[in-house]
Amino acid sequence: MTYVGKESTKAVDPKNEKFADLRALRHQIEKYHQPAADAAQAVDFVWPYLGHEDRHIRYAARVALEHQPPAAWQERVLAESNPQALITGAVALTRQADPALQGKLLASLDGIAVGKLSETQLLELLRVYELAFIRMGEPNLESAEIVRLRDRLDSLYPAGSDALNRELVQLLVYLRSPSVVSKTIELMKQPSQQQEVDMSELLARNGGYGGSIAKMLANQPDLQKLHYAFVLRNAREGWTAEQRRFYWEWLQESRGRSGGASYQGFINNIEQEAFDNATDSDRLAIEAFGLRKPYVAPELPKPQGPASNLNLQQVLTLTQTHLKGRNFENGKKMYSAARCVLCHRFAGDGGATGPDLTQVAGRFNPKDLSESILDPSKVISDQYRAHTVITDDGKVYNGRIVAENDRQVTVLTDPENSTKVVDVAKDNIDELRPSAVSIMPQDLLKQLNQDEVLDLLAYLLSRGNPQDAMFRK
């Protein structure tokens, strides 16, 4: 390893007394890094140092504060008018005080004029907000105070500093800012600011290897953009089809960079979590555009049968008395045997052309679930409705529209294969009408016997939990 730079590499003098006074002050404060006999006296002593210009002194004062009972100082923090002291004290508050004070803390922080803060102070303020949500609990994202905070942070983003942008994007994604996706994608589109390499310096220090080192450095991932991609994996809303496409293409391009032994796994994890956090429609579009390998089911098992041909009323009668003592593993098997797995995700596994069924029990009772399977065209969500597209030259396409822009619509023509899509130019469309028939096939349960039907329904209603009461013998 060779250092390339202009900073002095001269050894530090261990006897340097330049900061002796500050060290002595820090040692005085550290005497209160334990509960004091007189908490009020301890708080009075350390309080002036919460706003000290030296961060090590501020740190020592904050730790001393945390060792005293919160009742002796929490209201004083909330009333503090000095921005630096308030920020430092707020860290202690998030770590030690009652989480019920979160609202009051946010209100106090709202009084800080962010335009007058240095970059370091603003970074500290942003991290206080992060601590407030991590340690004091998730806030009501629709409350007036959070909406106000979100708008405030939105006005700061993007900032002129990479460090600020890293904190801002995390907070804004967490607070579900409606503009954070579009702003961050624009930042990711900007040219990379790779560290400039002095070729002559590299050649002089490394002989003939300088060019190879330069190429290696040029192929390193842009860490700032990698951070943006990492954070955006949790953004569930606010995406356009074009932004999704750019994001996934960026991840694919990043695979070609040199990032160490765990780099590919890191990209894989970002991709998987981004896919898991996407909406049903976005997951389908991602696969339809070829941005991710579509789900391929293993060989589907066969039901034992014989076919029951149960009608809706018969199934409803059975669910009232026979959803106890069911077989979890057989229900899981029937989820594949009935071909549900080809179109629907459940517990992270399955296709993307239909809605994720993992939480179906939160939306449907046994009656509604049975009805939606046996009569899928009775109620069709607009989100999953099929359309019929008739072109000027007489071609007819039936399927679900997975993407649309000013120029064309993209139609999924096979619900069991997310790659079977066709692009139809809008100026070539003679008629576009919603279909009254669901893309979900009927009679999926008729091949199953009575126990297999009930095991499947119990499996879906259990949210994939084998310990659910329906499986107790």
Side-chain angles (χ1 to χ4, degrees):
M1 300 292 291
T2 302
Y3 171 68
V4 178
K6 298 180 180 180
E7 297 294 330
S8 171
T9 57
K10 182 180 178 181
V12 175
D13 180 5
K15 297 181 180 179
N16 190 313
E17 295 295 323
K18 180 179 178 181
F19 301 106
D21 291 344
L22 285 176
R23 282 198 295 272
L25 174 59
R26 178 168 56 81
H27 292 159
Q28 281 185 286
I29 297 172
E30 287 173 346
K31 292 179 180 179
Y32 291 104
H33 285 189
Q34 57 185 329
D38 187 337
Q41 182 185 40
V43 170
D44 286 341
F45 177 80
V46 304
W47 199 267
Y49 305 114
L50 294 175
H52 198 277
E53 63 179 8
D54 185 282
R55 67 186 182 93
H56 302 286
I57 299 299
R58 295 198 303 271
Y59 173 84
R62 191 257 300 169
V63 173
L65 200 65
E66 291 183 18
H67 277 86
Q68 313 313 315
W73 50 267
Q74 60 188 23
E75 293 299 328
R76 192 168 173 179
V77 168
L78 295 171
E80 179 58 57
S81 59
N82 179 284
Q84 183 64 75
L86 173 56
I87 292 170
T88 306
V91 175
L93 200 70
T94 63
R95 289 166 53 83
Q96 299 296 334
D98 187 342
L101 289 175
Q102 185 189 74
K104 289 185 176 181
L105 174 59
L106 295 178
S108 294
L109 297 174
D110 194 40
I112 295 177
V114 294
K116 297 181 179 180
L117 299 180
S118 67
E119 179 177 325
T120 298
Q121 289 174 322
L122 185 52
L123 282 169
E124 290 180 2
L125 175 61
L126 295 175
R127 289 164 183 161
V128 168
Y129 284 123
E130 292 168 352
L131 281 173
F133 301 136
I134 291 171
R135 302 186 70 94
M136 304 179 88
E138 182 177 349
N140 176 5
L141 297 179
E142 303 304 320
S143 66
E145 61 190 9
I146 295 300
V147 171
R148 187 167 57 251
L149 172 60
R150 187 165 58 224
D151 291 343
R152 188 186 196 195
L153 298 179
D154 260 324
S155 69
L156 299 174
Y157 185 66
S161 156
D162 283 351
L164 285 173
N165 283 337
R166 284 194 291 272
E167 303 303 327
L168 284 166
V169 69
Q170 290 191 133
L171 274 167
L172 288 170
V173 167
Y174 177 80
L175 296 175
R176 298 182 190 172
S177 160
S179 65
V180 65
V181 171
S182 60
K183 289 180 177 180
T184 307
I185 291 295
E186 288 305 310
L187 288 173
M188 293 177 69
K189 289 180 178 180
Q190 294 177 6
S192 294
Q193 300 297 317
Q194 296 284 8
Q195 181 180 0
E196 293 185 4
V197 179
D198 187 332
M199 289 295 297
S200 61
E201 184 73 20
L202 281 172
L203 288 169
R205 289 177 176 266
N206 299 282
Y209 295 102
S212 299
I213 295 173
K215 290 179 181 179
M216 180 190 70
L217 292 175
N219 197 42
Q220 293 293 304
D222 185 318
L223 297 183
Q224 184 74 7
K225 292 182 180 181
L226 193 59
H227 175 79
Y228 292 145
F230 175 72
V231 176
L232 283 184
R233 81 197 192 285
N234 286 326
R236 298 171 181 266
E237 303 162 351
W239 294 87
T240 65
E242 290 76 13
Q243 289 165 351
R244 280 285 186 199
R245 185 190 291 270
F246 172 85
Y247 179 78
W248 285 81
E249 288 177 346
W250 188 94
L251 286 175
Q252 293 306 315
E253 187 275 335
S254 295
R255 291 186 179 281
R257 301 228 172 237
S258 302
S262 60
Y263 177 68
Q264 292 296 328
F266 183 66
I267 297 295
N268 289 341
N269 289 340
I270 293 177
E271 182 183 281
Q272 184 61 53
E273 291 185 28
F275 190 76
D276 290 340
N277 287 328
T279 64
D280 291 334
S281 297
D282 283 342
R283 280 198 289 265
L284 177 56
I286 289 165
E287 290 189 352
F289 290 148
L291 302 174
R292 176 185 166 95
K293 291 182 179 179
Y295 175 77
V296 178
E299 183 178 355
L300 300 180
K302 302 293 183 182
Q304 180 177 338
S308 62
N309 291 316
L310 294 171
N311 61 37
L312 177 59
Q313 190 54 54
Q314 290 171 321
V315 172
L316 293 179
T317 299
L318 288 170
T319 59
Q320 293 175 5
T321 56
H322 289 70
L323 279 182
K324 298 288 185 182
R326 303 318 317 168
N327 186 315
F328 176 84
E329 290 300 328
N330 194 49
K332 183 177 181 180
K333 178 181 177 182
M334 290 306 104
Y335 184 73
S336 295
R339 307 183 72 81
C340 308
V341 71
L342 296 178
C343 300
H344 301 277
R345 284 163 62 85
F346 190 85
D349 185 41
T353 59
D356 190 317
L357 299 181
T358 308
Q359 301 300 327
V360 71
R363 305 192 304 272
F364 294 156
N365 57 31
K367 176 181 180 297
D368 295 332
L369 178 59
S370 302
E371 190 173 75
S372 68
I373 297 174
L374 291 167
D375 189 6
S377 296
K378 182 176 181 179
V379 178
I380 306 175
S381 167
D382 289 340
Q383 187 177 357
Y384 305 101
R385 183 179 295 277
H387 283 75
T388 298
V389 181
I390 304 175
T391 66
D392 291 335
D393 51 1
K395 294 181 180 178
V396 179
Y397 301 102
N398 292 298
R400 181 177 163 192
I401 295 177
V402 297
E404 181 177 2
N405 56 36
D406 295 337
R407 303 179 306 279
Q408 65 182 25
V409 295
T410 302
V411 183
L412 173 72
T413 58
D414 183 352
E416 293 188 354
N417 187 339
S418 60
T419 66
K420 296 295 181 66
V421 295
V422 60
D423 295 326
V424 185
K426 284 190 172 180
D427 58 10
N428 189 35
I429 294 177
D430 178 60
E431 184 179 1
L432 174 62
R433 64 171 183 262
S435 173
V437 179
S438 172
I439 59 175
M440 178 175 169
Q442 288 187 313
D443 303 329
L444 291 176
L445 298 185
K446 287 193 173 182
Q447 59 180 320
L448 278 58
N449 64 37
Q450 176 177 306
D451 282 329
E452 289 170 335
V453 169
L454 291 168
D455 288 343
L456 170 59
L457 293 175
Y459 175 70
L460 291 172
L461 292 168
S462 73
R463 295 183 171 92
N465 175 21
Q467 305 304 317
D468 191 279
M470 289 182 289
F471 303 116
R472 295 174 187 166
K473 300 298 183 181

